[in-house]
Every structure is written in structure tokens, then in C-alpha cells.
């Protein structure tokens, strides 16, 4: 990895710097004072929230936070260029606070996909995935917002559903039969779950900013904040209740609390800025919590055992299913309410087309990307070295325990603990 990763990363950064020098210029900063606090919130979610949420694996904390940072730093630069090329149609790309928020959004899709393949890919593979996925994401986002003219202010479809199904397609193509009987490092410890909960809390607190960041007017931004706030609150209560209910001993599951409590923010995203009333937002959040908990409890084991989809972080339950729910909510709301933004009248037909095309493009794009990542010269860790920081990181001496990884390990995985 020493030369392949370093040379490719440096060459790519040089190319990006040159492209910035040719095509990028300062944009309109009239809204900087009002948007910068929101940008800070979104930025923290990307670099701290997503990163720490994935630190639950007992020996993969360095990679969870570190590779998350690398993906985000690379993705936001590449996203600025690709989104700029698509939306400016050959003119100079203006960068301002809003474009920086959109650049962060483009990295979020790649980070969600990272969660699906966490512990099973090399840094070089993640570099390739980031560049390819951000490019496809930008194309799909342009299709949804400019061509279909659908609304998705909180990106339930374009970020969450897209990132989840893109990642699931990648992990299906990269399926490892040797990991079917579980891996001893694919589990959490008391302290690693505490760190992951820090990520959950950052995401939970700042999600109203995420869903309202690109709202077109102040009134719509306020509605997005209020709706997300109450959707998350209702989702959290329902998640705690169901977490105890589905456990045979009536105990709470940390994997559910870390993830399913956030599903309300995902599901309300598409219609967050609409006049749906807070009680409808709470209903959406409650349904998202139910779907997410049941997904972790029943669907994740089924996907792993029957369909060979090894979803490390359970992104299907946090982002995929709630993202689809958000898309459906957008279809229903635009069918019963007359919603217009900046002269564009939103219709249920276009909302449905946006949802369908997003999932289709994500699955096809993810499968093709998985095929690229499977190329032998890119290299990846062996099955026995998965979920282990010491393969790619310098770790403290006391952590360098190179045990022989038995494929017939019988300990419960993190998801089995929810059953």
C-alpha cells in the first residue's frame, strides 16, 4: 500500500488543485453570516458524527475516524468540482458557504457507503470508491433537482437512500465467504460503544441543521428545523421502547440506541420544509424508529445469511429503509398539499421518479464500483486481517495482538446481540 496509495492520493490532490486554479472562483457571500453556523453544524456531523458513530468495532477505531476524515477531505474537494461542473454549465464555479454545505453533503453519501464495507476494504479502495461515488452522486442529485425538479431538502433520497444502497451493492460484489461464520473482531466492547455513542449524540443534536441547511427561505428553514426536532424526539422514545421489547430479557441494545434513534432525522428529510405539522413529523419519526429497530433485529441477519450482503454498520436500517420512507412521505405530502418552491410545483409523480431513479442508480453504480474495487492490483486485507487497525495503522504495542483468526468463531456479533 505504501506506494500505490501515496502516489495515487498525491496525484489526485495535485489534479484537484490545478482544476481549482482553472475553474473555481469566490462566489456570493451575502448570506455567509446566516449560513455559516449551519455549515459548522453540518461540518461537525461529517467529521465527528459519522466518524465516531463507526468506532464501535473493538479494533477498528483508528480506521473508523481516520479513514472517515480522509474520505470527507477528499470528497468535499471533488464534490465541489463535480457539482460545480454540472450546475454552472461551463462557467466558473463559484464557491460560497452554500456550495461548501453541498460539498459536505456529497461526502455524506460516501461515508454512509463506507459504513456498509467498514473493516473489509483498504484505504486505496476507499479512495477509489470516494471519487467514483461522489461523481455518480452529483449526477443523480442533478437529475433529481434540476431535471425531475423534485424536492429533497433533507436528502432522504439523494444522500441517505443513495449512500445506503450504493454501499450495499458494493459489499455484495465484495462478498467474503470467509466472514460468513463471523469474525472475532467484528464486535464491540464497552468502551468502543461509548465512543460510538458520542457520534450518535453529535448527529442527533445537529440533524435539524442538516435538514434545513439548503432550505430556500427562512420560513422553510424554520419548518425544517421544527419538524426534524420533533421527528428525532419521537423516534428516540419509540426506539428505546422497542429496544427493550424485542430483547428477550427486556434490556436495551446499544446498537439500536446508537443507530435507530437517528432514523427519524433521515425519514423526515424529504418533506422537512413542508407544512406537514409537527405531529405528522412525529408520526414519521415514530415509523422510522419502528422500521429501523425491526430492520436491525430481523432484516440484517437475513441479508447476511441469505443474500450475502454483509452490512457492517447496518446502514440499510439507519439510512436505506428510513430514506425510502422519507421518499414515500414526500410523495404523499405533494399529493395532498400544493407545494411550490421558487416557481417549481412539486408533484407526486416526479417525487416517485426521483426515489426510483435514485435507488436504481445507486444499485447499478455500487455494483460497478464494487467490480472496480475487486481488481487484484488494488489489494485488500485477507479475511483474517479484517476489522483490525494494525494492518494499515501504527498502533500502541499493547494493541498489537496478532492472533490466529478462526473462521468458526462462535461468539455473538453486534447485531445478534439485538436478537
Amino acid at each position: 500500500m505504501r506506494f500505490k496509495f501515496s502516489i495515487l492520493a498525491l496525484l489526485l490532490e495535485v489534479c484537484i488543485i490545478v482544476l481549482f486554479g482553472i475553474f473555481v472562483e469566490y462566489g456570493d457571500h451575502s448570506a455567509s453570516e446566516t449560513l455559516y453556523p449551519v455549515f459548522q453544524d453540518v461540518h461537525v456531523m461529517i467529521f465527528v458524527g459519522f466518524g465516531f458513530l463507526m468506532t464501535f468495532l473493538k479494533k477498528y477505531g483508528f480506521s473508523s475516524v481516520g479513514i472517515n476524515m480522509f474520505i470527507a477531505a477528499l470528497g468535499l474537494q471533488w464534490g465541489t468540482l463535480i457539482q460545480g461542473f454540472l450546475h454552472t454549465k461551463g462557467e466558473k464555479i463559484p464557491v460560497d458557504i452554500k456550495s461548501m454545505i453541498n460539498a459536505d453533503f456529497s461526502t455524506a453519501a460516501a461515508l454512509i457507503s463506507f459504513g456498509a464495507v467498514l473493516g473489509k476494504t483498504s484505504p486505496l479502495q476507499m479512495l477509489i470508491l470516494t471519487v467514483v461515488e461522489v461523481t455518480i452522486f452529483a449526477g443523480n442529485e442533478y437529475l433529481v433537482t434540476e431535471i425531475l425538479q423534485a424536492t429533497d431538502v433533507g436528502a432522504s433520497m439523494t444522500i441517505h437512500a443513495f449512500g445506503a444502497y450504493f454501499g450495499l451493492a458494493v459489499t455484495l460484489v465484495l462478498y467474503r465467504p470467509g466472514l460468513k461464520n463471523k469474525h472475532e473482531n467484528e464486535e464491540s466492547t464497552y468502551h468502543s460503544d461509548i465512543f460510538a455513542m458520542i457520534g450518535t449524540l453529535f448527529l442527533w443534536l445537529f440533524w435539524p441543521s442538516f435538514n434545513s441547511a439548503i432550505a430556500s427561505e427562512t420560513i422553510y428553514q424554520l419548518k425544517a428545523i421544527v419538524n426534524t426536532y420533533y421527528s428525532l424526539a419521537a423516534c428516540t422514545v419509540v426506539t428505546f421502547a422497542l429496544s427493550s421489547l424485542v430483547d428477550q430479557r427486556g434490556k436495551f441494545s446499544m446498537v439500536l440506541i446508537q443507530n435507530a434513534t437517528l432514523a427519524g432525522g433521515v425519514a423526515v428529510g424529504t418533506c422537512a420544509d413542508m407544512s406537514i405539522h409537527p405531529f405528522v413529523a412525529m408520526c414519521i419519526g415514530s415509523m422510522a424508529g419502528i422500521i429501523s429497530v425491526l430492520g436491525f433485529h430481523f432484516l440484517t441477519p437475513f441479508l447476511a445469511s441469505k443474500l450475502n450482503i454483509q452490512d457492517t454498520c447496518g446502514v440499510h436500517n439507519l439510512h436505506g429503509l428510513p430514506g425510502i420512507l422519507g421518499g414515500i412521505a414526500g410523495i404523499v405530502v405533494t399529493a395532498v398539499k400544493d407545494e411550490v418552491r421558487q416557481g417549481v410545483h412539486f408533484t407526486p409523480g416526479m417525487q416517485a421518479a426521483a426515489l426510483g431513479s435514485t435507488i436504481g442508480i445507486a444499485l447499478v453504480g455500487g455494483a460497478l464500483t464494487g467490480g472496480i474495487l475487486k481488481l487484484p492490483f488494488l489489494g485488500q486485507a485477507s479475511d483474517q486481517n479484517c476489522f483490525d487497525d494494525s494492518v494499515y495503522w501504527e498502533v500502541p504495542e499493547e494493541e498489537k495482538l496478532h492472533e490466529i483468526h478462526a473462521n468458526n468463531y462462535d461468539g455473538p456479533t453486534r447485531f445478534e446481540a439485538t436478537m
Side-chain angles (χ1 to χ4, degrees):
M1 185 186 81
R2 180 183 178 186
F3 293 108
K4 290 180 184 178
F5 174 80
S6 300
I7 292 173
L8 185 57
L10 289 173
L11 283 176
L12 187 57
E13 184 60 30
V14 169
C15 290
I16 289 174
I17 290 172
V18 171
L19 290 172
F20 262 71
I22 298 172
F23 296 106
V24 175
E25 64 181 7
Y26 292 116
D28 178 18
H29 293 278
S30 59
S32 296
E33 288 186 11
T34 55
L35 280 180
Y36 186 69
V38 177
F39 163 73
Q40 284 182 307
D41 293 348
V42 173
H43 216 44
V44 169
M45 290 178 71
I46 297 298
F47 283 89
V48 180
F50 278 103
F52 275 90
L53 181 63
M54 292 185 278
T55 58
F56 65 90
L57 292 172
K58 64 181 182 180
K59 289 189 175 182
Y60 212 66
F62 283 13
S63 296
S64 298
V65 177
I67 302 301
N68 181 96
M69 183 179 185
F70 172 76
I71 292 171
L74 174 63
L76 68 88
Q77 297 175 78
W78 188 245
T80 298
L81 290 171
I82 301 301
Q83 288 179 315
F85 289 142
L86 288 171
H87 288 278
T88 58
K89 298 179 175 65
E91 300 176 4
K92 287 279 189 177
I93 300 171
V95 291
D96 50 26
I97 302 300
K98 187 172 182 179
S99 72
M100 290 162 63
I101 293 172
N102 281 317
D104 273 3
F105 280 175
S106 68
T107 69
L111 294 176
I112 291 168
S113 298
F114 177 43
V117 298
L118 187 70
K120 299 169 291 190
T121 51
S122 68
L124 181 58
Q125 287 176 307
M126 291 313 305
L127 184 156
I128 301 295
L129 181 144
T130 301
V131 173
V132 175
E133 181 169 2
V134 168
T135 303
I136 298 174
F137 163 85
N140 179 69
E141 184 265 344
Y142 182 82
L143 170 67
V144 169
T145 59
E146 299 294 331
I147 298 177
L148 297 178
Q149 293 191 321
T151 181
D152 193 25
V153 68
S156 298
M157 299 182 289
T158 54
I159 292 178
H160 298 288
F162 179 89
Y165 288 103
F166 192 100
L168 291 177
V170 171
T171 196
L172 175 61
V173 175
L174 297 180
Y175 173 67
R176 290 171 175 259
L179 299 181
K180 190 164 188 176
N181 293 326
K182 306 177 223 30
H183 191 290
E184 63 181 301
N185 287 338
E186 194 181 0
E187 60 181 17
S188 62
T189 63
Y190 188 86
H191 294 296
S192 67
D193 269 336
I194 289 291
F195 276 110
M197 193 63 193
I198 292 173
T200 298
L201 292 173
F202 271 104
L203 291 170
W204 201 96
L205 291 171
F206 292 137
W207 215 293
S209 294
F210 189 94
N211 281 357
S212 64
I214 59 172
S216 57
E217 297 177 28
T218 304
I219 182 63
Y220 301 131
Q221 189 173 45
L222 176 61
K223 288 178 181 178
I225 291 171
V226 171
N227 289 332
T228 307
Y229 180 83
Y230 287 107
S231 179
L232 283 166
C235 179
T236 299
V237 174
V238 170
T239 298
F240 269 90
L242 288 184
S243 177
S244 176
L245 184 64
V246 298
D247 185 82
Q248 293 180 349
R249 298 165 297 174
K251 294 185 177 182
F252 299 123
S253 166
M254 202 55 166
V255 63
L256 296 179
I257 305 307
Q258 288 164 358
N259 292 277
T261 53
L262 300 171
V266 175
V268 80
T270 297
C271 58
D273 64 337
M274 300 181 187
S275 302
I276 59 174
H277 199 280
F279 92 90
V280 175
M282 295 167 78
C283 291
I284 293 173
S286 299
M287 287 188 287
I290 294 170
I291 290 171
S292 186
V293 169
L294 295 180
F296 274 107
H297 194 69
F298 298 108
L299 194 54
T300 295
F302 174 81
L303 292 178
S305 62
K306 303 299 183 182
L307 300 181
N308 297 335
I309 297 176
Q310 299 164 329
D311 182 6
T312 306
C313 290
V315 299
H316 189 220
N317 312 305
L318 171 54
H319 301 281
L321 295 176
I324 291 176
L325 175 62
I328 294 172
I331 295 170
V332 173
V333 173
T334 53
V336 299
K337 281 184 171 289
D338 190 36
E339 293 287 344
V340 180
R341 297 288 185 279
Q342 297 177 322
V344 177
H345 182 265
F346 300 128
T347 65
M350 288 304 177
Q351 293 298 130
L355 178 59
S357 62
T358 294
I359 295 174
I361 291 171
L363 290 172
V364 174
L368 293 175
T369 305
I372 295 172
L373 300 186
K374 212 169 184 178
L375 296 174
F377 68 88
L378 291 179
Q380 61 183 25
S382 61
D383 289 350
Q384 51 265 51
N385 286 326
C386 285
F387 314 108
D388 191 342
D389 276 333
S390 65
V391 178
Y392 299 111
W393 295 82
E394 285 289 341
V395 298
E397 288 297 326
E398 61 269 20
E399 297 294 334
K400 291 183 178 179
L401 304 175
H402 298 287
E403 311 98 324
I404 297 176
H405 298 259
N407 284 336
N408 60 350
Y409 178 68
D410 293 326
T413 67
R414 187 164 190 259
F415 296 126
E416 287 177 325
T418 69
M419 299 181 69

